[in-house]
Amino acid sequence: MKKLLFLVFVPFMAQAQTLQECQEAAERNYPLIRQYDLIGRTTQYTVENMAKNWLPQVSASAQATLQSDVASWPEQLQTVYQQMGLNLKGLSKDQYRIGVDVSQTVYDGGAIRSQQQIARQQGLVEEAQTEVTLYQVRRRVNEMYFSLLMLDEQIKLNGDLMELLSANEKKLSSMFRRGTAAESDYNSVKAERLNAAQQSERLKSQRHTLTTMLTAFCGIEVSKAEKPAAATATASALRPKLKAIDARLQLVDAQEKALDAALKPKLSVFAQGFYGYPGLNMFEDMMNHRWSLNGIVGARLTWNIGALYTRKNDKAKLQLQRDMAETSRDVFLFDNNLEQIQQNERIGCYRKMMADDEEIIALRSSVRKAAESKLSHGIIDVNDLVREIHAENTARVQQSMHEIEMLKEIYDLKFTTNH
């Protein structure tokens, strides 16, 4: 699936505003995505090279030797031939050969096929490990995306705060001109509005930095984050970590089959041809020192029982690898379950707090309006009003933060369960 995503063309300046779009873009943009193609090509070359072991294996050789002794005619037989007028030279101590050997495997007990399967499975293990690393990109996108949502909410609520302070500033300015309010009251509210304006600039600067980072990480322009739906996360067995463990177990199975193949006999046919001296006709060469063409064809059956010596230990090592993989699975599932419990508890906590947020805001708004009325009648001073304005704003900020933090926990849970 990741290989297909890698082939999708995405313009650099395209805009993505949903969380899913950002996650998919980040995975495509992350340099590690190229690892899939490299692993696939390496595995393909390895398997193709192994398949070439079925082709005839040809070797050429040339040799020249000088021997300390050679086969010779018995002395009695040589004397008889000399009496008959024949001079038997015997073999020369310098000998020469130029030849070609051709061997063709007919049956290998499944050794080549098992090695090809091991190579393929090793490629799948590497891909699965790469996917585990690449999956972590989603968590990093979640962190930046929900931080951007929080900043947007803070900027919006800070804008509402400035509007409320500005309205009260205008009201106090009018009251000051009429002589019903002190100049210090007007200046106090104005200072609070300016503080809020400074806070707005800080938040906008942070937002600009975050959008720049998210754009660079995703490889596309992210100008605005859309609040995702509060979907329910459900468990899934397709977490990349579990797939990587399964791939390791399948690799062990392939290696065990290779052990079985190593115990089977091997059958091949061969042909040898050479031009040199001496040849296969030894007696002819003992009489005439001439180079000749020679050839041999045949079949060869080999059975290496040396694999039996280490088979018990090899199988034990493979079983230990299985046990280690299964232990890794148990540890991951245990930790993953604990993480899900914590995330579900936090989600439940945020839901309970959100149930009271609306009422708290309504009460704070009512108190703030009453404080504005009291200030107009001179019952309270401006500090009391500013305190109530900030209390209402804090309640609204908390409501927004509770909602976004709950959404983040939900999508962190989706990441944990790979839903």
Side-chain angles (χ1 to χ4, degrees), residues 32-150:
L32 190 64
I33 192 71
R34 294 193 292 271
Q35 190 82 352
Y36 285 104
D37 182 57
L38 297 176
I39 293 171
R41 288 161 60 187
T42 301
T43 301
Q44 180 184 355
Y45 293 148
T46 302
V47 172
E48 289 178 355
N49 286 343
M50 290 178 177
K52 288 179 171 56
N53 289 327
W54 285 110
L55 298 177
Q57 305 300 306
V58 181
S59 63
S61 63
Q63 72 176 35
T65 60
L66 180 63
Q67 300 179 196
S68 62
D69 202 358
V70 292
S72 61
W73 296 103
E75 185 176 349
Q76 296 83 352
L77 184 59
Q78 191 173 14
T79 301
V80 172
Y81 277 118
Q82 285 176 350
Q83 291 174 354
M84 296 172 58
L86 297 175
N87 184 17
L88 301 179
K89 300 179 181 180
L91 293 177
S92 175
K93 291 185 178 181
D94 56 319
Q95 300 182 3
Y96 309 92
R97 173 177 295 193
I98 301 175
V100 176
D101 293 348
V102 180
S103 177
Q104 171 64 59
T105 300
V106 177
Y107 174 73
D108 70 341
I112 294 176
R113 184 176 65 252
S114 63
Q115 291 301 319
Q116 287 179 315
Q117 184 58 33
I118 288 176
R120 293 190 186 96
Q121 197 58 47
Q122 285 174 335
L124 293 177
V125 170
E126 292 179 10
E127 285 187 359
Q129 291 295 339
T130 301
E131 188 173 355
V132 170
T133 304
L134 196 59
Y135 189 70
Q136 298 300 320
V137 170
R138 296 188 184 184
R139 184 184 291 276
R140 295 173 65 180
V141 171
N142 282 359
E143 293 293 335
M144 288 187 284
Y145 194 88
F146 283 101
S147 295
L148 181 58
L149 281 175
M150 287 185 180

Side-chain angles (χ1 to χ4, degrees), residues 306-325:
L308 285 172
Y309 303 153
T310 60
R311 180 176 174 81
K312 181 178 180 180
N313 287 342
D314 289 339
K315 290 182 72 69
K317 285 168 59 179
L318 292 178
Q319 184 58 46
L320 289 175
Q321 291 181 28
R322 283 196 184 92
D323 293 342
M324 291 171 64

Side-chain angles (χ1 to χ4, degrees), residues 91 94-97 274 276-280 282 285 290 292 294:
L91 293 177
D94 56 319
Q95 300 182 3
Y96 309 92
R97 173 177 295 193
F274 68 91
Y277 168 82
L280 297 177
M282 188 70 68
D285 292 335
R290 295 180 304 187
S292 60
N294 302 270

Side-chain angles (χ1 to χ4, degrees), residues 318-359:
L318 292 178
Q319 184 58 46
L320 289 175
Q321 291 181 28
R322 283 196 184 92
D323 293 342
M324 291 171 64
E326 291 295 347
T327 300
S328 297
R329 185 201 300 276
D330 293 340
V331 170
F332 172 77
L333 291 175
F334 182 83
D335 292 340
N336 189 269
N337 183 59
L338 287 180
E339 190 173 3
Q340 290 183 48
I341 291 174
Q342 292 175 343
Q343 290 169 338
N344 279 313
E345 287 296 322
R346 287 195 291 265
I347 291 171
C349 179
Y350 283 127
R351 291 189 187 280
K352 291 178 181 178
M353 288 190 292
M354 288 174 62
D356 297 327
D357 282 337
E358 286 292 344
E359 185 177 359

